[in-house]
Amino acid sequence: MKKQLNVGIIGYKFMGRAHSNAWIKAPLFFDLPAVPVLKAACGRQEESLKEFAKKWHWEETETDWKKLVSRPDIDIIDIALPQQLHYDVAIAAAKEGKHIFCEKPLSMNSRQAEEMLKVCEDNKVKHYLNHNYRRTPAVSYARKMIDDGKIGRIFHWRCAYQQDWIVDPEFPLTWQLRKETAQAGPQWDLNSHAVDLAHYLIGDIATVSALTAHFIKERPLADETTSGNLSATAKENEKGEVTVEDAALMMVTFKNGTIGSFEATRFATGRKNRLTFEIYGSKGSLAFDLERMNELQYFSNDDEAGQQGFRTILATEAVHPYASNWWPAGHIIGYEHSFVHAVADFIKAIEEDTAIKPDFADGLKIIQVLEAGIVSAETGSQVTL
Ligand code: SOE
């Protein structure tokens, strides 16, 4: 019988569901050295937690995360919580010797991130930060094409992450819109993904110049008990101040000489979860759109004159990372599959004692870039990392 690894998940909303699905699916579609067991789910509201656990096949429930983290039968702690809660849980879990699968963004600031990394290293536990878009077949294949020299020297990185769920000024003041619970707006939530992709595909960032916009200054207070996945209900007649930015723009230089731009907004009317990037190099170019995540656009200077143009690679063939674990070529996959890929790689990293990326060291670098962006926007000057 295969070895089992007992998982305890904390958080049971949007990410709790996405992660649960991944723990269930990974051993069904990947040949793993150990099987994850959905041991216990943890959350504060007992009734809805129990419903969640039953639906997603978690064996038990806990309402006290400290208890869960110190249980000797738990091997892995899955932190499917908002960033404001990552630090306490990750530190406690690492001290208990648990491997950590943590949702992004890593933390509220770089001081927390540094400490989280140190405690994980001191206790020799695996620490994975879930920037799942790296693990779509198309993005992983883009990295391979860059490594294989298909793009040549990279001149430009251009990235936009666009959503529109708070355009309505009556959309309530949820935790994502308050500094004390989120630290920042799209600069944290969206640009963390974008910076991770830039680090993965291009390299380290050297300087940051940024600006932020605050379009709506006040909103009705949210009834957090009924607020869900990027949706919320308002408390009547009570208003509060929005204390994070609504949009953030960054211009960066990379250490390797590439220059880049990042646009992150929750005010791109009509755009739901659109993350696009473009990479322009001396030999070719690449473009990706998360809303068409099975595709990669590729232009090659090597194509015959007169027949050049961007072509669409449908990244569903056996040669594309992860694709052969799913369906025959052309049978596309979706958002949730990238979480399954992350779980499969995480289990392998634990059992084979290899590195998994991105880890908390990568997360720290991302937070440093995001912080530099906030400082730059506040001071109006360029920040060198
Ligand atoms: C909300 O903006 C959000 O759910 C992010 O937090 C996720 O990381 C992203 O994948 C989708 O949008």
Side-chain angles (χ1 to χ4, degrees), residues 4-257:
Q4 300 195 330
L5 289 170
N6 288 338
V7 185
I9 193 171
I10 311 175
Y12 61 97
K13 298 221 167 148
F14 178 12
M15 283 305 119
R17 291 162 65 230
H19 291 203
S20 299
N21 177 61
W23 292 114
I24 293 168
K25 296 280 168 62
L28 298 176
F29 286 89
F30 288 78
D31 183 17
L32 300 179
V35 178
V37 176
L38 285 75
K39 200 71 192 167
C42 179
R44 278 187 291 226
Q45 290 158 15
E46 199 164 8
E47 208 178 307
S48 40
L49 172 68
K50 284 214 164 4
E51 243 173 70
F52 165 84
K54 190 163 173 236
K55 189 166 182 180
W56 291 96
H57 308 292
W58 291 92
E59 288 178 12
E60 298 158 27
T61 57
E62 288 279 5
T63 49
D64 178 353
W65 69 262
K66 289 187 178 148
K67 240 179 163 179
L68 178 74
V69 157
S70 60
R71 270 174 59 161
D73 62 332
I74 298 289
D75 303 297
I76 294 167
I77 289 292
D78 178 343
I79 306 177
L81 295 164
Q83 57 265 32
Q84 133 202 57
L85 304 166
H86 291 185
Y87 171 80
D88 285 343
V89 178
I91 297 279
K95 285 186 176 162
E96 292 286 347
K98 313 298 185 201
H99 301 299
I100 302 173
F101 187 104
C102 183
E103 192 42 48
K104 51 63 62 176
L106 181 57
S107 59
M108 296 288 275
N109 53 53
S110 53
R111 187 193 48 73
Q112 285 187 345
E114 268 167 31
E115 214 179 313
M116 289 159 79
L117 171 62
K118 183 170 185 311
V119 177
C120 285
E121 285 178 345
D122 287 351
N123 289 280
K124 298 189 171 42
V125 297
K126 296 282 170 209
H127 38 100
Y128 167 69
L129 176 65
N130 189 40
H131 282 294
N132 50 310
Y133 301 149
R134 275 191 190 205
R135 285 184 162 78
T136 56
V139 172
S140 305
Y141 198 69
R143 166 67 191 262
K144 183 178 174 339
M145 291 176 77
I146 293 167
D147 289 348
D148 289 349
K150 298 275 184 214
I151 310 304
R153 176 181 166 197
I154 297 175
F155 304 119
H156 290 286
W157 162 264
R158 183 173 190 224
C159 183
Y161 200 153
Q162 300 162 303
Q163 299 182 337
D164 74 350
W165 53 282
I166 59 168
V167 171
D168 179 356
E170 293 306 311
F171 185 93
L173 191 63
T174 57
W175 68 265
Q176 291 101 330
L177 309 186
R178 288 185 280 116
K179 186 172 164 60
E180 67 273 24
T181 42
Q183 182 60 297
Q187 174 71 354
W188 235 247
D189 186 29
L190 304 183
N191 265 340
S192 57
H193 272 310
V195 170
D196 177 62
L197 290 176
H199 283 163
Y200 177 53
L201 295 167
I202 311 292
D204 285 352
I205 290 169
T207 65
V208 181
S209 303
L211 69 81
T212 54
H214 300 75
F215 300 124
I216 310 281
K217 307 240 159 40
E218 222 185 37
R219 289 179 179 274
L221 293 187
D223 177 355
E224 297 281 3
T225 53
T226 52
S227 299
N229 306 334
L230 308 189
S231 65
T233 46
K235 281 187 189 162
E236 266 170 53
N237 303 326
E238 279 180 85
K239 289 213 166 199
E241 197 194 340
V242 178
T243 46
V244 302
E245 82 290 348
D246 289 320
L249 304 183
M250 292 199 287
M251 286 191 303
V252 308
T253 59
F254 290 84
K255 288 186 180 156
N256 62 12

